[in-house]
Structure formats: C-alpha cells, structure tokens
Amino acid sequence: MAIADEVKDLGAKTLAAIDAASDTDALEKVRVDVLGKQGSLTAYLRGMGKVPKEERAEVGKTVNTVRNQVQDALSARHEVLANAELDARIAADAVDITLPGRAQQVGTRHLISRITDEITDIFMGIGFSVASGREVETDYYNFEALNTPPDHPARSMQDTFYVVDRTGHQSSVRGESDVLLRTQTSGVQAHVMEEQKPPIYIVAPGKVYRRDVADPSHLPQFNQVEGLAVDEGITFGDLKGTLDFFIKQMFGPERKTRFRPHYFPFTEPSAEVDVSCGICGGKGCRFCKGTGWVEVLGCGMVDPNVFGYADIDPEKYSGFAFGMGVERIACLKYNVSDLRDLLAGDMRFLRQF
Ligand code: DAH
C-alpha cells in the first residue's frame, strides 16, 4: 500500500475510535495513541525523511490533512463527552429537598435550675439580692460561726464529707479535717455578715453534700436556698410575713402555712414551716401521711451568738434566716414522691414539667 493510503487508513480508523470513545479518559487515550510523542500519526511526521522523494509531497499533504481532521474530531467529541460528564455529576450531587428533615432533640433547663430561679426571683421581687458561697468550706463557716461548736449534738444531724489531702492526712486540732463539703448553705450567712454591714437582705442558692444514701427522701448531693435578713427592728412577724408570701407565690394563694417550734443552733427561736398538702388540700392523705401538712423549710431569728462571730451588735440589730431544699420544693410543687427521679435523667419524666 502506498504510504499516503496507509495514512488515510489510519485517519479513518482514528475517526472511528474517536466516535466510539465513551468518556473523556478513553478519548484522551486515542489522542495519545495517535498524536502523542510515540503516536502512530506522529511516527509518519517524523519519518518523512525516509519517504521516497516522489511520494513525499503527497504523503506530507495527507498527514497534515489527517492530523487536522483528527484534531477537529477530538475537540468536537471532547466537548460532547465533557458536557455529558458534567451533567452526570450534577445529577449525582443533587439534594432531594422533598425529604422530611430529622427532628433535633432540643434540651431544656432542668427542673431544679428552674425552681432555684423561681425561688430567688420571688425574693428578689421583695428586695433581696443573691449571694453565693463555696461548696468546699471550712468547719468554721459550716458549723462553728453558726453557733455549732465541736461536739455539738446538732453536728450529727448532718453527716459530713471531710476533705483530706492526697496522703490521707487530716490536718486538724480535732482529729477531723477542717476542710469539708458544706452540708448546708447556712455558712453563706457567716461570710456575708463578715463582709457586709446591715441592712442585709440576701438569698444564697447552691449545692450541699451529706453522707446519706440516696432514697426517696434523701440525696447525698442536693440544692438549698438560704435566706438572711438583718436590719434594725426585724421581728418574728417579718419572718412569718415573708415566708407566707413566698409560699403563696410558689405554691398558690390557696395554700396555708404553719410554723412549728423546732431547734436549729443558729436561730432562736427556730421553727419549721409546713404548707397545707397540695394533694388532699389539708384533709389528710398518703402524701402528707394523714396530717394535712407537709414540711417545706427551716427558719428562725438569728441567734445573738451568730451576730457575735460577725461583730454585729445584737443590741442594735436583729434578723431572721431560713433555709430550704430545692429538690423538696420541686417535689411538693409537682407531687413527685421520689427525689431520685429528679436526677435519673429520664427525658420521659423530665419533659412533664
Ligand atoms: N441549714 C438548715 C438545714 O440544712 C436549714 C435552716 C434552718 C437554715 C433554719 C436556716 C435556718 O437559715 O434559720 O437543715
């Protein structure tokens, strides 16, 4: 076969291969095979010197023509294939906006946080401000400055977690560590009276700790809100009026309060406050153990000895104090019978409130 015919033949086969290429990769392979450095058409261009003279003009013309045809066909086919590939990619990446979304679990504030805020809000509404204390406390503030010296029987009412150093060594004159997890927020009273002069009107929310095993009415860690008012001329009547107001705000205007004499080391006289049972309305039921009343908090008039520790003149000033358990208030408000339910983290339970 004449060389020019071989070239034409190669051109025809190449055009067919271009048509048959199903994607840009296959097309590129055809280009390299024919027009690349080692390509079959390139070989004819390079071999022109060896073509017999009389065929050279004809072969040269044919190679050029075929090369142009091949290049045109390559670019035309490339455009078609590249467009198709782009369309395919867009189709594959498409987002189906008609799919229903996945519901997000939205958290809410825990009941105990909300009740704590509710309690402090009620007192802020009548002129109290919020104070905070420390959970790791010293024996002095948790007990002693609250008129509860070592060996005082009231200490056994609050079984205490003591903090020891890493060697287990307890540095104390009494054989027990002086550092402890506070058993009550009452220590905030002692701090505030050291730092502020009367008039003092504060509430102090916070966590407290006791060596109790969790059961329906005890938790080893729970929350309290402490209250303290110190001013000239404060009476037991002010205490009763304030707590009566608080209870009606918290539980509803139909609820009654009752003050029962009690003992706390830091108040004299002291009382426990009961509220009429929210379930039976005071007739007596299982929740209130048939009495019609449930206990909500402890309170009393600040003991002059406590003023003594803080250098406040008990002849000039008097005051009242109170302390309540937040979990207990929550249980009474929502008739929950087991404190542990508040901590179990079961969304089916917590969502009710
Ligand atoms: N701190 C007491 C307790 O944890 C509660 C209490 C009672 C606080 C009487 C007071 C108070 O401020 O006056 O049981």
Side-chain angles (χ1 to χ4, degrees):
M1 205 191 321
I3 299 175
D5 290 335
E6 282 176 29
V7 173
K8 282 184 192 152
D9 194 45
L10 173 63
K13 284 190 180 129
T14 304
L15 292 179
I18 289 170
D19 262 353
S22 56
D23 56 35
T24 52
D25 285 348
L27 191 65
E28 176 63 5
K29 190 171 176 312
V30 174
R31 189 190 70 77
V32 170
D33 285 349
V34 179
L35 296 181
K37 267 189 198 149
Q38 320 287 332
S40 42
L41 194 61
T42 310
Y44 282 105
L45 272 169
R46 290 211 176 126
M48 284 307 277
K50 282 176 230 142
V51 175
K53 249 199 191 119
E54 60 281 11
E55 282 186 55
R56 206 171 281 165
E58 170 77 6
V59 170
K61 221 174 85 192
T62 310
V63 169
N64 272 331
T65 312
V66 167
R67 190 177 57 181
N68 288 342
Q69 284 173 343
V70 167
Q71 271 169 346
D72 288 350
L74 278 171
S75 50
R77 183 76 181 143
H78 187 270
E79 191 173 328
V80 171
L81 291 175
N83 279 341
E85 283 167 17
L86 183 63
D87 286 347
R89 227 175 24 248
I90 290 170
D93 286 350
V95 173
D96 182 355
I97 56 166
T98 65
L99 265 182
R102 288 190 196 99
Q104 293 285 328
Q105 289 264 10
V106 178
T108 55
R109 299 195 67 212
H110 193 274
L111 178 63
I112 295 305
S113 308
R114 282 193 286 118
I115 295 280
T116 305
D117 283 356
E118 228 178 287
I119 296 169
T120 53
D121 282 352
I122 292 171
F123 285 103
M124 281 164 74
I126 51 173
F128 284 70
S129 49
V130 175
S132 60
R134 49 195 78 164
E135 289 170 34
V136 177
E137 188 53 284
T138 59
D139 183 277
Y140 177 79
Y141 288 104
N142 194 72
F143 290 123
E144 203 164 333
L146 297 169
N147 201 30
T148 320
D151 306 323
H152 193 288
R155 287 192 177 214
S156 60
M157 287 157 62
Q158 299 180 359
D159 219 345
T160 308
F161 284 112
Y162 286 94
V163 177
V164 295
D165 69 21
R166 274 189 288 180
T167 62
H169 179 67
Q170 300 175 335
S171 62
S172 166
V173 283
R174 292 179 208 106
E176 276 180 335
S177 170
D178 283 328
V179 183
L180 46 79
L181 298 184
R182 68 178 173 188
T183 59
Q184 51 187 356
T185 46
S186 302
V188 180
Q189 291 184 38
H191 283 289
V192 168
M193 283 191 279
E194 263 181 16
E195 290 155 14
Q196 271 169 250
K197 289 301 143 212
I200 295 170
Y201 292 89
I202 58 104
V203 283
K207 292 191 188 73
V208 300
Y209 303 84
R210 291 187 196 175
R211 290 178 53 180
D212 280 327
V213 175
D215 70 23
S217 54
H218 295 86
L219 294 171
Q221 179 202 305
F222 58 102
N223 293 269
Q224 286 187 331
V225 176
E226 192 77 16
L228 175 70
V230 183
D231 207 338
E232 288 180 46
I234 290 203
T235 66
F236 199 89
D238 296 320
L239 170 61
K240 281 188 80 169
T242 303
L243 293 181
D244 200 49
F245 171 79
F246 163 72
I247 283 170
K248 287 189 160 63
Q249 291 287 308
M250 179 54 87
F251 297 107
E254 71 289 354
R255 304 293 278 272
K256 293 190 183 61
T257 52
R258 170 174 95 167
F259 286 67
R260 251 185 312 104
H262 198 75
Y263 172 78
F264 295 105
F266 29 89
T267 41
E268 181 60 34
S270 303
E272 274 189 335
V273 180
D274 297 338
V275 60
S276 54
C277 178
I279 294 196
C280 62
K283 287 195 217 51
C285 66
R286 236 162 53 124
F287 194 71
C288 60
K289 300 192 182 76
T291 63
W293 296 95
V294 280
E295 179 211 319
V296 262
L297 54 83
C299 64
M301 300 304 288
V302 179
D303 191 300
N305 287 341
V306 174
F307 283 144
Y309 279 99
D311 260 345
I312 289 177
D313 181 2
E315 298 298 324
K316 185 167 179 204
Y317 295 106
S318 57
F320 64 74
F322 55 87
M324 65 188 87
V326 178
E327 283 78 358
R328 183 158 181 82
I329 302 275
C331 286
L332 294 179
K333 184 158 173 145
Y334 294 108
N335 303 320
V336 174
S337 54
D338 192 330
L339 287 176
R340 293 171 299 183
D341 288 340
L342 297 171
L343 301 184
D346 185 335
M347 289 306 289
R348 292 166 303 179
F349 173 80
L350 292 172
R351 273 213 194 90
Q352 303 175 87
F353 308 109

